[in-house]
Amino acid sequence: MSQEIEHVQCLIIGSGPAGYTAAIYAARADLKPVLYTGMEAGGQLTQTTDVDNFPGYPLGIMGPEMMEDFRKQAERFGTAIRFGYVSSVDFSSLPHKVIVDEIKTITADTVIISTGATAKWLGLPSEHQYNGFGVSACAVCDGFFFKGQDVAIVGAGDTAAEEATYLAKLCNKVYMLVRRDEFRASKAMVHRVLNTPNIEVIYNSEAKEVLGNGKNVTGLRVFNNQTNEEQDLQIEGFFVAIGHKPNTDIFKGWIDMDETGYLITKPGTTKTNVEGVFACGDVQDHYYRQAVTAAGTGCMAALDAERYLAAKEDVLKA
C-alpha cells in the first residue's frame, strides 16, 4: 500500500445533492472540504431525466444538468472535488483514517458520509433500456409525468403500497404486481390499496419484459408464476418499488445501522455514534428519499461539522 498520506479538516464521501450541499456549506465555513464523488459522480439523479420538483428550477431541469450545477457551486467556494471511491475506513481514533482507491490514506478531523442508497431493480434488460423513459424507481419523483395515464408498479411492501396509492391520485389506472398471493405490507396499507378503485392488484405475478417503441414504454409483459400464463398490459409508466440498498458496507462495524443497513443519526442532527462523523442524504433516510431533503441534511451535516470543530478549538484554547 502506498505511504501517501494527506490530512484534511473535512472529508465528504459521496456526491449527489447531500454531498454537494455539504461541500457548499463546509467550503463557505472555510473548512476546505475535500469531496470524493464515488463511482457515480452526482448520485442517483444522474440516472434521471426531468426533475420538476426541486425548488429554484421553475421550468424543470434534467437530473445530470442539475448535479453539474451543484458541483460547480461547490467548486466555486473552494471544494476540492475528486473522482474516486473510499475503499475502507478506520474510525478507531482521531483523526479518522480513510483509504481511497485502496492506495491513498487520508486523515480527517471530520467525515461527512453521503454515499446514498441504490434502488433495487428486477434485472430485466428492457427495464434498464427504458430507465428514465417510462421506467422509474420513485413514484413521488416521477408520478406527475404520467398524469391521466395507465401505469404499473411492482412490489408488495409498505413502500410499494404507499407509492401505488400516490400514483392512483394522478393516474387513470394503476396495475399492482404482487409476486405472491398476499402482500408483505401492513394491514392498514393493504386496506388502503384494496379500497382505491383505480388500483388493480394482480397476485402471483411478475414482470417479464418492459415493452416499448424504442423511445418510451408502451406496455408490460406479465406472467403468472402459478400458471405460467402471460398477458400484456397497455401502460405508459412502470414503477419498481422493491426497495433500496444503502451504500454502507464499508462502514459496518464502525457506524450504528438499522437492520437494513441505513446509518443511524441522533434525532434532529446528522451525528452518528462516532465522534466527528456525520451522515446525510439517503444513506440515513429510508423514508423521504427526495433530492431536496437530501440537500437539507447535507446543509445540516456541514453545520454540525463546523460546530464540532469550533467546540474542539474552544477546548484547546481554554
Side-chain angles (χ1 to χ4, degrees), residues 85-223:
Y85 73 99
V86 170
S87 47
S88 64
V89 301
D90 182 350
F91 293 156
S92 60
S93 60
L94 294 172
H96 301 298
K97 185 185 293 184
V98 170
I99 307 299
V100 177
D101 296 330
E102 301 182 356
I103 58 172
K104 179 174 181 175
T105 299
I106 291 183
T107 58
D109 296 324
T110 58
V111 176
I112 295 176
I113 300 170
S114 56
T115 49
T118 303
K120 295 179 182 178
W121 297 95
L122 299 173
L124 304 174
S126 53
E127 172 190 51
H128 176 75
Q129 178 186 355
Y130 290 104
N131 188 6
F133 300 92
V135 173
S136 169
C138 181
V140 176
C141 310
D142 300 326
F144 178 82
F145 300 112
F146 302 92
K147 198 170 185 178
Q149 300 178 7
D150 292 352
V151 300
I153 184 168
V154 58
D158 279 346
T159 298
E162 186 173 349
E163 295 206 340
T165 54
Y166 176 85
L167 289 169
K169 297 174 184 177
L170 299 169
C171 303
N172 176 59
K173 177 78 176 245
V174 179
Y175 297 99
M176 188 171 187
L177 275 60
V178 176
R179 188 168 58 180
R180 299 184 299 176
D181 59 359
E182 61 181 2
F183 283 82
R184 289 186 293 105
S186 63
K187 290 183 178 180
M189 291 305 300
V190 173
H191 181 77
R192 190 185 302 179
V193 166
L194 297 180
N195 283 276
T196 303
N198 59 334
I199 296 179
E200 180 180 336
V201 180
I202 307 177
Y203 294 100
N204 298 313
S205 294
E206 301 178 39
K208 184 173 184 179
E209 184 179 1
V210 180
L211 308 175
N213 56 16
K215 294 182 179 180
N216 301 295
V217 171
T218 60
L220 182 70
R221 183 155 298 152
V222 178
F223 77 96

Side-chain angles (χ1 to χ4, degrees), residues 264-279:
I264 296 173
T265 52
K266 296 178 182 178
T269 78
T270 61
K271 299 175 184 177
T272 69
N273 61 296
V274 176
E275 178 184 346
V277 178
F278 309 89

Side-chain angles (χ1 to χ4, degrees), residues 39-56:
M39 300 307 291
E40 187 178 64
Q44 292 184 75
L45 277 180
T46 60
Q47 303 300 314
T48 64
T49 50
D50 298 292
V51 178
D52 269 348
N53 56 3
F54 199 95

Side-chain angles (χ1 to χ4, degrees), residues 267-311:
T269 78
T270 61
K271 299 175 184 177
T272 69
N273 61 296
V274 176
E275 178 184 346
V277 178
F278 309 89
C280 57
D282 286 8
V283 76
Q284 51 85 59
D285 173 22
H286 58 80
Y287 187 74
Y288 294 105
R289 298 200 309 269
Q290 298 298 301
V292 69
T293 51
T297 57
C299 163
M300 292 168 60
L303 294 176
D304 285 342
E306 178 191 5
R307 290 164 183 170
Y308 165 78
L309 291 174

